[in-house]
């Protein structure tokens, strides 16, 4: 009985992870289409690829400062993405409207 519950729990965890992965991939695809995928990866690119940051994290208080910066940066990044996606949505709607108008004009010609 416990083994069955363990298997069901593991399957549930895997299904949740797969759903999150699908959502994340869709989100990144949307950011890429809008040309702003960098906003999602910028923090990691700045800090985790820097070999010296690991050495500096051992300084007193620096780890906390990095986490504070991460939190602030994430908020600003989310605001940027929200505004950029709104503008991208407007641009997409304008493009669709333009294309529809061109089709109408061409069909009348």
């Amino acid at each position: 009985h416990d083994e069955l519950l363990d298997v069901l729990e593991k399957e549930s965890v895997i299904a949740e992870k797969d759903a999150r992965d699908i959502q994340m991939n869709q989100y990144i695809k949307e950011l890429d289409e809008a040309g702003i995928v960098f906003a999602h990866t910028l923090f990691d690119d700045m800090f985790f690829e820097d070999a010296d940051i690991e050495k500096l994290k051992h300084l007193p208080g620096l780890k906390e400062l990095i986490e504070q910066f991460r939190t602030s940066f994430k908020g600003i990044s989310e605001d940027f993405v929200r505004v950029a996606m709104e503008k991208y949505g407007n641009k997409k709607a304008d493009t669709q409207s333009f294309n529809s108008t061109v089709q109408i004009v061409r069909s009348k010609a």
Side-chain angles (χ1 to χ4, degrees):
H1 180 69
D2 287 339
E3 290 176 16
L4 179 59
L5 289 176
D6 287 344
V7 169
L8 290 175
E9 185 177 332
K10 287 178 184 178
E11 288 176 354
S12 174
V13 168
I14 290 170
E16 288 175 19
K17 182 188 178 303
D18 290 345
R20 280 192 311 271
D21 288 347
I22 289 169
Q23 283 180 324
M24 181 58 72
N25 288 338
Q26 179 61 32
Y27 179 68
I28 290 173
K29 181 181 174 187
E30 291 172 6
L31 293 179
D32 190 38
E33 289 173 2
I36 58 169
V37 75
F38 68 88
H40 181 71
T41 61
L42 187 59
F43 186 87
D44 291 341
D45 291 346
M46 286 190 313
F47 279 92
F48 295 115
E49 293 178 5
D50 185 355
D52 292 331
I53 199 70
E54 289 304 315
K55 297 173 191 170
L56 294 174
K57 281 184 178 178
H58 299 290
L59 294 174
L62 191 63
K63 209 172 201 176
E64 291 80 18
L65 285 174
I66 291 172
E67 278 307 310
Q68 288 174 356
F69 181 67
R70 176 197 304 271
T71 303
S72 297
F73 188 89
K74 183 178 178 185
I76 293 167
S77 178
E78 288 172 355
D79 289 344
F80 171 79
V81 167
R82 182 183 46 75
V83 170
M85 291 303 287
E86 286 173 9
K87 289 183 177 188
Y88 176 67
N90 293 340
K91 179 181 175 183
K92 219 168 141 179
D94 289 346
T95 301
Q96 289 173 345
S97 177
F98 175 78
N99 289 336
S100 295
T101 303
V102 168
Q103 290 249 276
I104 291 169
V105 169
R106 285 183 177 167
S107 68
K108 290 182 181 180

